[in-house]
Each structure stands twice: as structure tokens, then as C-alpha cells.
């Protein structure tokens, strides 16, 4: 079976292929997981320049395209990408993204009759006139994949996905992180706390850091030695977070805004912590949560479809309603009081059984066979 993974999302930084592959490792990781058992996977990705790179037994071909701008929007017509796809003659196309209507239809025009599985990577159904664009883009796909099957419902309710479109529950990606010696990791990172709580994510309204700070503030009454360490890059709510900390000295003394940490160093931060926390209102999957579980870290996160799926409905760690700081605070205290060695083993065992690249690969291959049929 020849399967072609296609990425038409455009890198606004116009990074060279080597840097782009380093920034987007899932291009290769997911394709490598799906390979095997008589499934040959190749990757095509739109980029600023041509290149062919290989890793983990998979070839990734970067195809130079020239997008154009309409106002603030970047529009990509993947002429060369579609031509290369047709030359590969795949049995199935695994297209990344549900919002790229024009690239998706252009690709299908170059590969008439070839089944297409479109993978969700976050977002929600378009509103207003954009609903018609989404319906047009997804009108001819054969199947879609979401982290949680529940995430397909808004697309179905708006008519963006018709009743004939098969829905598969498959993770966007996984992680290669592993557990390690906590004492060594704390020495390397400087993290401390009892419990030591880690945040990895943007400081924006969707991640809701202010609600998490409220939860931590309340938890300090029961866990006075708690420390929260926040790793982030983009921080549109930085001023609001700083103001919240300035208004409560006790909270400020236990929260450390670390800022951006290179990805290759994040492994030690996960290993050093006891609890992973995030207040997301919505997620396509949750890469940081997957990395935390891969490292044996117990999550206290919000009760949203993606996190429900990843934590097996809260069986690993704890879920709290979105924006409910009191509930998250109680969850933090409860997890902090449990046997942490037991929790670490439970987290990693769950990762191995339900979230690893091996599992993702098996689920993808099963979906490919179902779509193609006998």
C-alpha cells in the first residue's frame, strides 16, 4: 500500500527544509509510525525551497511553492505539490489539516479517485460564509481523523462533514520522551517544590493561565510548599499574569515564569516535576500533555474532548471543568497527596499502552485498510 502524507500548511518564517523538519518533527515521526506491515509512506510538504530529507526510514520531500497574499491572508495554490503527488501514484492520501480547503481540493483534482483521509490539527468549524468554504473543501474527502471522535460533532452539525464521511479516533502524534531520574533532572533544571508543578504552553486566553494561577493560589493553603514553573514562548497575557502575581505576594513567591526552553531541554523539566498542569479551553490534541505522560508525569488538566481521550477520561491524573479554579485546586491537592512513584509508573504505562508511536501507527494502518477496502 502506497500512502502519501501531504502538508500544505505554509511556514510564514520561510525556514529552509532542514530547519523546518527540526521545528515540525511530526512530519517524519507520524509517517514513520504508520510505515510497516506492507505500508509504504512518503511525505510531501510545501516549503520555501526544494529538498529531499530522510529520517526514521521515511523520505520527506519539500516542494517549493509561492503563496500569494490577499489582505492578511496567505493563500497557497499547491501546483507543484499536487504534480509531485500525482507522480507518486498513491493508493491513499493522508492530508494534514481540515481548514486548507483550496490546497485539499487542488490535490484531489490531481489525484482523481484516490481516497483521502484528512487529519484534524485543531481549530473549529468555520462560521458565517466560511462554513461554505469548509463544506466545499471537505466535500469529497473519504474520512477524517480526530484525537477524540467527539471533536467531529461540530463539523458534522454545521454540515462541513457529511454523513458518508468515516470518522476515526487517532492521535495527531506522540512523543519520544522517556522517564528519568528526578533528582538528577532537578539539579540540571533548578526546579523544586513539594509538589513541583509544571506548565508548558503559551500564556494566552485559550490556555487560561489566570485560572490556573487562581487554582494554585487556593491549593497553597493545603500545599504550602507547592511551586509552579511556567515554560512558554508566546505570551500575549504576560502583563495580565504579572499583574496577578504582583497582587498576591504569597502566590508570586511560589511561581516562576521560566519563559522559552529549547525543546531538547524540556525533557529534563518534565522529569523534574511531579504534576503537569494546563487550563486549555480547546485543543486539537495536546503535545505537551503527551510529552508529560511519556515522561511519567501526572496531569491535572481541563475536561475537554482531547484531554479526555488522552487521559482515558481522567483515569490517569485528574480532569477539571474549564475555568473552574476551585475544582482544579482540589485536583492538585488530591494528586499531590498520592504516592508519586505509583503515579509515575501509571502515567508511563498508560502512555505505552494507548499513546505511543507504536499505537498511533497501528491505528493509522488500520484506518488506511478500512478506507481502501478489500
Amino acid at each position: 500500500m502506497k500512502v502519501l502524507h501531504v502538508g500544505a500548511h505554509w511556514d510564514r518564517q520561510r525556514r529552509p527544509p532542514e530547519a523546518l523538519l527540526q521545528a515540525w518533527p511530526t512530519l517524519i515521526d507520524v509517517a514513520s509510525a504508520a510505515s510497516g506491515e506492507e505500508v509504504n509512506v512518503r511525505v510531501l510538504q510545501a516549503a520555501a525551497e526544494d529538498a529531499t530529507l530522510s529520517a526514521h526510514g521515511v523520505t520527506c520531500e519539500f516542494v517549493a511553492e509561492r503563496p500569494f497574499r490577499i489582505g492578511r491572508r496567505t493563500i497557497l495554490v499547491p501546483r507543484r505539490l499536487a504534480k509531485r503527488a500525482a507522480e507518486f501514484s498513491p493508493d491513499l492520501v493522508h492530508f494534514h489539516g481540515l481548514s486548507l480547503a483550496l490546497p485539499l481540493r487542488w490535490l484531489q483534482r490531481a489525484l482523481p479517485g484516490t481516497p483521502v483521509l484528512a487529519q484534524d490539527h485543531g481549530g473549529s468549524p468555520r462560521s458565517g460564509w466560511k462554513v461554505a468554504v469548509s463544506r466545499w473543501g471537505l466535500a469529497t474527502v473519504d474520512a477524517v481523523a480526530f484525537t477524540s471522535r467527539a471533536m467531529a460533532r461540530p463539523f458534522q452539525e454545521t454540515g462541513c462533514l457529511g454523513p458518508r464521511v468515516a470518522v476515526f479516533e487517532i492521535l495527531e502524534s506522540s512523543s519520544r520522551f522517556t522517564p528519568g531520574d528526578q533528582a538528577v533532572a532537578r539539579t540540571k533544571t533548578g526546579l523544586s517544590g513539594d509538589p513541583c508543578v509544571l506548565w508548558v504552553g503559551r500564556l494566552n486566553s485559550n490556555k487560561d493561565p489566570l485560572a490556573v494561577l487562581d487554582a494554585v493560589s487556593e491549593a497553597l493553603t493545603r500545599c504550602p510548599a507547592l511551586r509552579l514553573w511556567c515554560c512558554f514562548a508566546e505570551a500575549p497575557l504576560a502583563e495580565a499574569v504579572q499583574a496577578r502575581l504582583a497582587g498576591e505576594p504569597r502566590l508570586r513567591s511560589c511561581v516562576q515564569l521560566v519563559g522559552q526552553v529549547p525543546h531538547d531541554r524540556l525533557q529534563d523539566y518534565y522529569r523534574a516535576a511531579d504534576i503537569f498542569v494546563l487550563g486549555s479551553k480547546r485543543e486539537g490534541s495536546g503535545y505537551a500533555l503527551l510529552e508529560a505522560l511519556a515522561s511519567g508525569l501526572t496531569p491535572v488538566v481541563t475536561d475537554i474532548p482531547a484531554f479526555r481521550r488522552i487521559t482515558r477520561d481522567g483515569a490517569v491524573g485528574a480532569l477539571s471543568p474549564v475555568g473552574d479554579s476551585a475544582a482544579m485546586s482540589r485536583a492538585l491537592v488530591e494528586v499531590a497527596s498520592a504516592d508519586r512513584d505509583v503515579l509515575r509508573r501509571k502515567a508511563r504505562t498508560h502512555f505505552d499502552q494507548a499513546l505511543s508511536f507504536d499505537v498511533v501507527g497501528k491505528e493509522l494502518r488500520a484506518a488506511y485498510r478500512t478506507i481502501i477496502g478489500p
Side-chain angles (χ1 to χ4, degrees), residues 125-126 131 135 153-161:
R126 305 283 185 161
V131 169
R135 288 175 181 166
R153 290 182 194 135
F155 290 84
Q156 294 166 330
E157 291 168 356
T158 56
C160 294
L161 293 176

Side-chain angles (χ1 to χ4, degrees), residues 78 127 147 157 223 233 291 304 307:
S127 59
T147 295
E157 291 168 356
C223 302
E291 290 174 342
I304 59 176
F307 290 174

Side-chain angles (χ1 to χ4, degrees), residues 230-285:
C230 299
C231 301
F232 56 89
E234 297 176 22
L237 291 184
E239 290 186 8
V241 168
Q242 293 281 11
R244 175 70 179 87
L245 296 177
E248 187 178 341
R250 183 183 68 158
L251 181 62
R252 182 176 67 243
S253 68
C254 84
V255 176
Q256 181 67 43
L257 301 179
V258 179
Q260 187 167 10
V261 176
H263 191 263
D264 60 356
R265 290 184 54 208
L266 270 178
Q267 170 76 98
D268 287 321
Y269 282 79
Y270 287 114
R271 289 175 173 175
D274 299 306
I275 298 172
F276 175 78
V277 67
L278 209 56
S280 300
K281 299 173 183 177
R282 60 187 178 278
E283 294 285 353
S285 115

Side-chain angles (χ1 to χ4, degrees), residues 123-328:
S124 57
R126 305 283 185 161
S127 59
W129 62 269
K130 294 179 180 179
V131 169
V133 176
S134 291
R135 288 175 181 166
W136 174 72
L138 297 170
T140 56
V141 301
D142 299 88
V144 290
F146 292 85
T147 295
S148 167
R149 189 169 279 103
M151 296 164 65
R153 290 182 194 135
F155 290 84
Q156 294 166 330
E157 291 168 356
T158 56
C160 294
L161 293 176
R164 71 169 188 83
V165 179
V167 177
F168 294 91
E169 189 172 86
I170 305 172
L171 292 174
E172 288 182 64
S173 188
S174 183
S175 173
R176 300 189 187 280
F177 282 1
T178 59
D181 189 295
Q182 186 179 53
V184 171
R186 288 198 175 191
T187 299
K188 293 171 71 174
T189 61
L191 268 62
S192 62
D194 183 20
C196 176
V197 183
L198 181 67
W199 161 293
V200 178
R202 299 178 181 90
L203 298 185
N204 62 19
S205 59
N206 180 55
K207 307 289 186 185
D208 207 357
L210 297 177
V212 172
L213 290 178
D214 288 343
V216 169
S217 175
E218 188 172 339
L220 285 173
T221 302
R222 298 280 301 278
C223 302
L226 182 154
R227 297 293 180 268
L228 172 65
W229 303 79
C230 299
C231 301
F232 56 89
E234 297 176 22
L237 291 184
E239 290 186 8
V241 168
Q242 293 281 11
R244 175 70 179 87
L245 296 177
E248 187 178 341
R250 183 183 68 158
L251 181 62
R252 182 176 67 243
S253 68
C254 84
V255 176
Q256 181 67 43
L257 301 179
V258 179
Q260 187 167 10
V261 176
H263 191 263
D264 60 356
R265 290 184 54 208
L266 270 178
Q267 170 76 98
D268 287 321
Y269 282 79
Y270 287 114
R271 289 175 173 175
D274 299 306
I275 298 172
F276 175 78
V277 67
L278 209 56
S280 300
K281 299 173 183 177
R282 60 187 178 278
E283 294 285 353
S285 115
Y287 290 108
L289 175 56
L290 290 169
E291 290 174 342
L293 287 164
S295 305
L297 195 52
T298 301
V300 174
V301 293
T302 40
D303 188 5
I304 59 176
F307 290 174
R308 230 175 281 141
R309 154 78 160 92
I310 291 172
T311 64
R312 205 174 70 234
D313 293 323
V316 178
L319 299 174
S320 60
V322 171
D324 191 335
S325 298
M328 179 170 278

